[in-house]
């Protein structure tokens, strides 16, 4: 078969209205929550029977902002500074033949909403608000965990220190503060950006966060 139909079964709601600032992988920031709302056709509670027995889930989703008619066999990963090309299948780039993403998230709660039916509350998300989900599968540690696996060029990067005044931090809703600080510590800039005078704008939840980066320090200069 040259193609097959993929159905959107749900969408996830997160604190990221845009792509900038989203963690580069799932599971990096436990405090980042998401709410999965199923499409009306898939709101049958029987479809979730037994899901509470799993602590983590695989989400298969669409890079809805990166769908293209053409594809390239090589891409330039931000981890390599955006200058070196590697094979698309050696990356998690959104620019691929099928714009499909894969995330492992923690299942926090299964809730019932009188209007939306059963919804899933998950944490460790790395998706933009409204991202369409095409499937959900349980994570199985007996087969899905490989602690000795090699990471290729995607080595762990050191977190940066974050400087923010108490006045600015108090503008942020209390239960959103830790996640925001961890998002900033991951350094959301493209890897090839290195201008200490440049000002960046991060949209997170209902806030716009303005910051600069000097050496290994991210300094927040405004929150509104």
């Amino acid at each position: 078969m040259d193609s097959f139909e993929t159905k959107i079964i749900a969408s996830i709601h997160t604190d990221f209205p845009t792509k900038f600032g989203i963690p580069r992988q799932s599971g990096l920031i436990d405090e980042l929550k998401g709410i999965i709302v199923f499409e009306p056709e898939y709101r049958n509670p029987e479809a979730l029977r037994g899901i509470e027995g799993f602590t983590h889930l695989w989400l298969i989703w669409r890079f809805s902002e990166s769908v293209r008619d053409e594809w390239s066999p090589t891409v330039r990963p931000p981890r390599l500074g955006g200058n070196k090309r590697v094979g698309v299948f050696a990356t998690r780039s959104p620019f691929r033949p099928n714009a499909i993403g894969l995330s492992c998230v923690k299942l926090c709660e299964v809730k019932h909403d009188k209007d939306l039916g059963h919804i899933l509350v998950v944490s460790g998300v790395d998706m933009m608000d409204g991202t369409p989900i095409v499937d959900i599968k349980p994570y199985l540690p007996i087969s899905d965990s490989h602690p000795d696996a090699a990471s290729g060029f995607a080595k762990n990067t050191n977190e940066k220190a974050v400087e923010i005044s108490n006045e600015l931090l108090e503008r942020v809703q209390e239960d959103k503060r830790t996640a925001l600080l961890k998002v900033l510590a991951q350094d959301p800039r493209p890897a090839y950006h290195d201008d200490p005078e440049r000002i960046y704008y991060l949209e997170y939840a209902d806030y716009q966060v303005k910051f600069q980066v000097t050496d290994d320090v991210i300094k927040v200069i405004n929150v509104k």
Side-chain angles (χ1 to χ4, degrees), residues 31-93:
E31 291 81 2
L32 288 178
K33 296 284 187 72
I35 298 175
I36 297 174
V37 177
F38 290 88
E39 294 296 310
E41 181 181 354
Y42 302 103
R43 289 179 186 171
N44 187 332
E46 289 296 296
L48 296 175
R49 184 194 292 183
I51 201 169
E52 299 94 335
F54 299 94
T55 60
H56 292 74
L57 303 172
W58 288 111
L59 304 182
I60 303 170
W61 47 277
R62 290 187 65 194
F63 285 104
S64 52
E65 300 296 306
S66 305
V67 177
R68 296 180 174 183
D69 292 330
E70 300 178 351
W71 71 285
S72 170
T74 60
V75 295
R76 291 182 285 206
R79 282 288 185 94
L80 297 178
N83 298 314
K84 181 178 179 180
R85 285 191 171 273
V86 298
V88 65
F89 299 130
T91 75
R92 296 190 176 187
S93 167

Side-chain angles (χ1 to χ4, degrees), residues 2 40 45 66 108 121 143 163 186 191 215 220:
D2 293 329
S66 305
C108 302
V121 181
S143 59
E163 289 186 359
Q186 295 283 329
D215 297 326
V220 178

